[in-house]
Amino acid sequence: MAQGTNYKVAFRRRREGKTDYGARLKLVDYEKSRLVVRVSNAHATVQVIDYAPEGDITVASAVSKQLSGFGYKGHSGNISAFYLTGYLCAKRALAKGVEYAILDIGLKSPIKGSKIFAALKGAVDAGLEVPHGDFIFPEDERIRGEHVANYAESLNAEEVAAKFSKYLERGLNPTDLPENFDETLKNIDEAEV
């Protein structure tokens, strides 16, 4: 390990690659709510967070696991699930009086059309005001899952059973994913979140 009077050990979360403190400080300086989007291997987490000196306060939160309660049967880590999770979180934030937020993507790279921006589009479509450029959003066909349905139609029955076994276990034919997406969106709008 380096030694000397000028050497300073970085914070633990910085050493572990979990937090960019410079970017976080800039976001906290705005004194606005943050729309925090986090990606795991199988799920999406979207939160609206306010800064407080004693610790951040989570105003509203949604996890893609919760979508099954609204009738969603697709995979909880795809673009459709991210859009719906962002939509659900924004509806909950609006119900609590938050109307404006700034996007916080953490250490993820801002890639055009990615899952993170699908969640942002869901939040914006729900009515939450977030500064953005429309060119970063994924295409509407991808958000609805039409590319998955088209791919499933090109396969034979054995290949569909092998590649979409989890969809079939949940009672969803992969070619019906766009309809399931629309139904879930309608259920979120009708529910008192």
Side-chain angles (χ1 to χ4, degrees):
M1 180 169 231
Q3 297 176 349
T5 56
N6 292 334
Y7 182 75
K8 182 179 176 187
V9 177
F11 290 130
R12 178 185 54 84
R13 290 187 62 85
R14 181 61 185 167
R15 290 192 315 263
E16 293 172 354
K18 293 181 179 178
T19 303
D20 181 352
Y21 285 101
R24 177 170 165 70
L25 186 60
K26 288 177 186 174
L27 288 171
V28 168
D29 259 359
Y30 290 122
E31 295 181 7
K32 304 256 190 273
S33 296
R34 292 179 291 139
L35 178 69
V36 179
V37 180
R38 295 296 182 257
V39 179
S40 74
N41 288 337
H43 300 290
T45 304
V46 182
Q47 300 172 318
V48 175
I49 296 178
D50 284 339
Y51 170 77
E54 59 277 356
D56 290 348
I57 300 166
T58 303
V59 177
S61 178
V63 181
S64 58
K65 287 183 195 180
Q66 299 168 344
L67 296 175
S68 61
F70 295 97
Y72 185 69
K73 296 178 182 176
H75 179 51
S76 60
N78 63 15
I79 287 183
S80 301
F82 271 75
Y83 176 91
L84 292 169
T85 306
Y87 192 86
L88 179 60
C89 181
K91 285 288 188 183
R92 290 176 175 169
L94 289 166
K96 293 189 178 180
V98 176
E99 297 177 355
Y100 183 87
I102 297 169
L103 182 64
D104 179 357
I105 62 172
L107 295 173
K108 289 290 184 185
S109 298
I111 300 170
K112 177 182 172 184
S114 67
K115 295 176 184 179
I116 291 171
F117 295 122
L120 171 63
K121 181 166 174 49
V124 168
D125 288 351
L128 190 66
E129 187 180 339
V130 182
H132 66 280
D134 289 339
F135 64 91
I136 59 170
F137 292 147
E139 298 171 0
D140 289 337
E141 294 80 27
R142 290 190 67 81
I143 288 175
R144 291 188 67 238
E146 291 177 17
H147 63 294
V148 174
N150 293 338
Y151 176 65
E153 285 176 0
S154 70
L155 302 174
N156 64 34
E158 291 177 2
E159 292 172 325
V160 168
K163 295 185 179 194
F164 293 100
S165 60
K166 294 293 182 182
Y167 281 64
L168 298 172
E169 283 176 20
R170 294 185 201 113
L172 176 67
N173 188 331
T175 57
D176 297 334
L177 183 61
E179 290 80 17
N180 182 248
F181 172 86
D182 293 336
E183 180 184 326
T184 305
L185 195 58
K186 187 179 117 195
N187 291 341
I188 291 172
D189 278 333
E190 292 173 354
E192 293 182 17
V193 292

PDB file of all heavy atoms in Angstrom, residues 147-160:
ATOM      1  N   HIS A 147     -40.593  -7.206 -30.209  1.00  0.00           N
ATOM      2  CA  HIS A 147     -39.444  -7.930 -30.759  1.00  0.00           C
ATOM      3  C   HIS A 147     -39.382  -9.357 -30.185  1.00  0.00           C
ATOM      4  O   HIS A 147     -39.005 -10.294 -30.877  1.00  0.00           O
ATOM      5  CB  HIS A 147     -38.151  -7.165 -30.478  1.00  0.00           C
ATOM      6  CG  HIS A 147     -37.818  -7.011 -29.033  1.00  0.00           C
ATOM      7  ND1 HIS A 147     -38.586  -6.256 -28.154  1.00  0.00           N
ATOM      8  CD2 HIS A 147     -36.817  -7.529 -28.280  1.00  0.00           C
ATOM      9  CE1 HIS A 147     -38.051  -6.311 -26.947  1.00  0.00           C
ATOM     10  NE2 HIS A 147     -36.985  -7.079 -26.995  1.00  0.00           N
ATOM     11  N   VAL A 148     -39.800  -9.528 -28.924  1.00  0.00           N
ATOM     12  CA  VAL A 148     -39.833 -10.863 -28.316  1.00  0.00           C
ATOM     13  C   VAL A 148     -40.930 -11.692 -28.981  1.00  0.00           C
ATOM     14  O   VAL A 148     -40.729 -12.865 -29.309  1.00  0.00           O
ATOM     15  CB  VAL A 148     -40.068 -10.766 -26.792  1.00  0.00           C
ATOM     16  CG1 VAL A 148     -40.246 -12.137 -26.182  1.00  0.00           C
ATOM     17  CG2 VAL A 148     -38.924 -10.027 -26.123  1.00  0.00           C
ATOM     18  N   ALA A 149     -42.093 -11.079 -29.188  1.00  0.00           N
ATOM     19  CA  ALA A 149     -43.203 -11.783 -29.831  1.00  0.00           C
ATOM     20  C   ALA A 149     -42.840 -12.200 -31.251  1.00  0.00           C
ATOM     21  O   ALA A 149     -43.132 -13.337 -31.673  1.00  0.00           O
ATOM     22  CB  ALA A 149     -44.445 -10.897 -29.837  1.00  0.00           C
ATOM     23  N   ASN A 150     -42.187 -11.317 -32.004  1.00  0.00           N
ATOM     24  CA  ASN A 150     -41.773 -11.645 -33.374  1.00  0.00           C
ATOM     25  C   ASN A 150     -40.756 -12.782 -33.396  1.00  0.00           C
ATOM     26  O   ASN A 150     -40.807 -13.665 -34.257  1.00  0.00           O
ATOM     27  CB  ASN A 150     -41.194 -10.417 -34.070  1.00  0.00           C
ATOM     28  CG  ASN A 150     -42.242  -9.350 -34.315  1.00  0.00           C
ATOM     29  OD1 ASN A 150     -43.436  -9.624 -34.344  1.00  0.00           O
ATOM     30  ND2 ASN A 150     -41.793  -8.119 -34.473  1.00  0.00           N
ATOM     31  N   TYR A 151     -39.835 -12.756 -32.435  1.00  0.00           N
ATOM     32  CA  TYR A 151     -38.840 -13.825 -32.359  1.00  0.00           C
ATOM     33  C   TYR A 151     -39.508 -15.155 -32.030  1.00  0.00           C
ATOM     34  O   TYR A 151     -39.198 -16.185 -32.623  1.00  0.00           O
ATOM     35  CB  TYR A 151     -37.781 -13.476 -31.315  1.00  0.00           C
ATOM     36  CG  TYR A 151     -36.768 -14.568 -31.096  1.00  0.00           C
ATOM     37  CD1 TYR A 151     -35.891 -14.949 -32.107  1.00  0.00           C
ATOM     38  CD2 TYR A 151     -36.694 -15.240 -29.884  1.00  0.00           C
ATOM     39  CE1 TYR A 151     -34.960 -15.961 -31.920  1.00  0.00           C
ATOM     40  CE2 TYR A 151     -35.771 -16.244 -29.680  1.00  0.00           C
ATOM     41  CZ  TYR A 151     -34.901 -16.600 -30.696  1.00  0.00           C
ATOM     42  OH  TYR A 151     -33.995 -17.598 -30.515  1.00  0.00           O
ATOM     43  N   ALA A 152     -40.456 -15.134 -31.080  1.00  0.00           N
ATOM     44  CA  ALA A 152     -41.145 -16.368 -30.690  1.00  0.00           C
ATOM     45  C   ALA A 152     -41.948 -16.938 -31.853  1.00  0.00           C
ATOM     46  O   ALA A 152     -42.060 -18.166 -31.999  1.00  0.00           O
ATOM     47  CB  ALA A 152     -42.045 -16.111 -29.496  1.00  0.00           C
ATOM     48  N   GLU A 153     -42.512 -16.070 -32.697  1.00  0.00           N
ATOM     49  CA  GLU A 153     -43.275 -16.535 -33.855  1.00  0.00           C
ATOM     50  C   GLU A 153     -42.377 -17.226 -34.881  1.00  0.00           C
ATOM     51  O   GLU A 153     -42.842 -18.108 -35.622  1.00  0.00           O
ATOM     52  CB  GLU A 153     -44.000 -15.364 -34.520  1.00  0.00           C
ATOM     53  CG  GLU A 153     -45.207 -14.882 -33.750  1.00  0.00           C
ATOM     54  CD  GLU A 153     -45.841 -13.662 -34.376  1.00  0.00           C
ATOM     55  OE1 GLU A 153     -45.351 -13.176 -35.424  1.00  0.00           O
ATOM     56  OE2 GLU A 153     -46.830 -13.183 -33.798  1.00  0.00           O
ATOM     57  N   SER A 154     -41.105 -16.857 -34.918  1.00  0.00           N
ATOM     58  CA  SER A 154     -40.192 -17.454 -35.897  1.00  0.00           C
ATOM     59  C   SER A 154     -39.674 -18.824 -35.461  1.00  0.00           C
ATOM     60  O   SER A 154     -39.014 -19.511 -36.240  1.00  0.00           O
ATOM     61  CB  SER A 154     -39.003 -16.518 -36.141  1.00  0.00           C
ATOM     62  OG  SER A 154     -38.169 -16.469 -34.996  1.00  0.00           O
ATOM     63  N   LEU A 155     -39.988 -19.239 -34.229  1.00  0.00           N
ATOM     64  CA  LEU A 155     -39.499 -20.519 -33.710  1.00  0.00           C
ATOM     65  C   LEU A 155     -40.576 -21.598 -33.841  1.00  0.00           C
ATOM     66  O   LEU A 155     -41.771 -21.295 -33.885  1.00  0.00           O
ATOM     67  CB  LEU A 155     -39.120 -20.370 -32.231  1.00  0.00           C
ATOM     68  CG  LEU A 155     -38.058 -19.326 -31.892  1.00  0.00           C
ATOM     69  CD1 LEU A 155     -37.912 -19.221 -30.375  1.00  0.00           C
ATOM     70  CD2 LEU A 155     -36.729 -19.681 -32.529  1.00  0.00           C
ATOM     71  N   ASN A 156     -40.136 -22.855 -33.837  1.00  0.00           N
ATOM     72  CA  ASN A 156     -41.118 -23.937 -33.799  1.00  0.00           C
ATOM     73  C   ASN A 156     -41.507 -24.206 -32.342  1.00  0.00           C
ATOM     74  O   ASN A 156     -40.934 -23.622 -31.418  1.00  0.00           O
ATOM     75  CB  ASN A 156     -40.586 -25.195 -34.507  1.00  0.00           C
ATOM     76  CG  ASN A 156     -39.360 -25.779 -33.816  1.00  0.00           C
ATOM     77  OD1 ASN A 156     -39.231 -25.732 -32.600  1.00  0.00           O
ATOM     78  ND2 ASN A 156     -38.449 -26.345 -34.618  1.00  0.00           N
ATOM     79  N   ALA A 157     -42.455 -25.092 -32.116  1.00  0.00           N
ATOM     80  CA  ALA A 157     -43.018 -25.322 -30.775  1.00  0.00           C
ATOM     81  C   ALA A 157     -41.959 -25.820 -29.781  1.00  0.00           C
ATOM     82  O   ALA A 157     -41.958 -25.412 -28.615  1.00  0.00           O
ATOM     83  CB  ALA A 157     -44.165 -26.315 -30.856  1.00  0.00           C
ATOM     84  N   GLU A 158     -41.052 -26.689 -30.223  1.00  0.00           N
ATOM     85  CA  GLU A 158     -40.019 -27.213 -29.326  1.00  0.00           C
ATOM     86  C   GLU A 158     -39.054 -26.115 -28.894  1.00  0.00           C
ATOM     87  O   GLU A 158     -38.650 -26.057 -27.733  1.00  0.00           O
ATOM     88  CB  GLU A 158     -39.246 -28.342 -30.010  1.00  0.00           C
ATOM     89  CG  GLU A 158     -40.050 -29.606 -30.214  1.00  0.00           C
ATOM     90  CD  GLU A 158     -39.266 -30.662 -30.966  1.00  0.00           C
ATOM     91  OE1 GLU A 158     -38.080 -30.423 -31.295  1.00  0.00           O
ATOM     92  OE2 GLU A 158     -39.850 -31.725 -31.231  1.00  0.00           O
ATOM     93  N   GLU A 159     -38.670 -25.257 -29.835  1.00  0.00           N
ATOM     94  CA  GLU A 159     -37.757 -24.167 -29.510  1.00  0.00           C
ATOM     95  C   GLU A 159     -38.417 -23.158 -28.569  1.00  0.00           C
ATOM     96  O   GLU A 159     -37.776 -22.651 -27.650  1.00  0.00           O
ATOM     97  CB  GLU A 159     -37.289 -23.466 -30.790  1.00  0.00           C
ATOM     98  CG  GLU A 159     -36.404 -24.335 -31.657  1.00  0.00           C
ATOM     99  CD  GLU A 159     -36.103 -23.698 -33.006  1.00  0.00           C
ATOM    100  OE1 GLU A 159     -36.981 -23.020 -33.560  1.00  0.00           O
ATOM    101  OE2 GLU A 159     -34.970 -23.890 -33.489  1.00  0.00           O
ATOM    102  N   VAL A 160     -39.699 -22.881 -28.783  1.00  0.00           N
ATOM    103  CA  VAL A 160     -40.423 -21.972 -27.889  1.00  0.00           C
ATOM    104  C   VAL A 160     -40.461 -22.560 -26.486  1.00  0.00           C
ATOM    105  O   VAL A 160     -40.225 -21.865 -25.491  1.00  0.00           O
ATOM    106  CB  VAL A 160     -41.854 -21.688 -28.414  1.00  0.00           C
ATOM    107  CG1 VAL A 160     -42.687 -20.986 -27.360  1.00  0.00           C
ATOM    108  CG2 VAL A 160     -41.794 -20.859 -29.672  1.00  0.00           C
TER     109      VAL A 160
END
